[in-house]
Amino acid sequence: MSGPPVPTEETHHLIVQLQLGHDGALKALYDQFSGVTFRVCVRMLTSTEDAEEVLQDTFLRLEAQASKYDPMRGTVQTFVLTIAHHLCLERLRTRRSRPQGQPGAFDDAAFDLLARPSSRDPLDQALVEDALRSLPDTDRKLLEDMFFGGYTHAELTARTGLPLGTVKSRLRRALLKLRERTLP
């Protein structure tokens, strides 16, 4: 689904082209980020069908919101994954309000986001795995529940019994530690 990582300058150029309405820019961004975006969606939604729909919606929304991209706030990949994350959360919240069985859903224990897809860079894989292992178990669990389970801070507070401020502090500390360990 995706090729080797594209340098940030090139992806920035692609988002600018998308903002200007150039043909091919959306396809190039899709080719670059669809693989990682799909893996995040599957991990969050546990349904390949839902993940495929959210993947498509992500790139439609990217096209509509390209003008909102700010390179000072993050990379193009972060922008794309943020859109996908929000769409997954919307879908998860809809599911909670209308519970239903998910045919073909993966058993969470059997499905591992960090499973090595053939197009994934082994060095990136090792960095992410190492960074996650370096977190305390409680912090790692909070991150997984928030990003992949779709839980809000308030819901995490209710699930863990921790005060809201503690949940927010642990999540921020964990994210900073991940950033520190995975960014060059």
Side-chain angles (χ1 to χ4, degrees), residues 151-167:
Y151 292 100
T152 64
H153 291 135
E155 290 169 330
L156 290 172
T157 296
R159 287 174 57 91
T160 63
L162 295 170
L164 181 60
T166 302
V167 167

Side-chain angles (χ1 to χ4, degrees), residues 90-126:
E90 287 175 15
R91 185 153 303 219
L92 288 169
R93 288 183 181 125
T94 300
R95 265 191 211 165
R96 285 191 201 135
S97 66
R98 288 183 285 133
Q100 56 188 356
Q102 293 296 321
F106 293 104
D107 176 3
D108 194 36
F111 184 77
D112 180 9
L113 172 68
L114 299 174
R116 185 184 322 240
S118 60
S119 64
R120 189 161 202 174
D121 183 347
L123 180 58
D124 287 344
Q125 175 86 20

Side-chain angles (χ1 to χ4, degrees), residues 19 21 29 31 47 51 56 116 118 133 148 156 162-163 182:
Q19 292 168 343
L29 287 165
D31 290 345
S47 161
Q56 180 179 359
R116 185 184 322 240
S118 60
R133 275 194 304 271
F148 302 126
L156 290 172
L162 295 170
T182 58

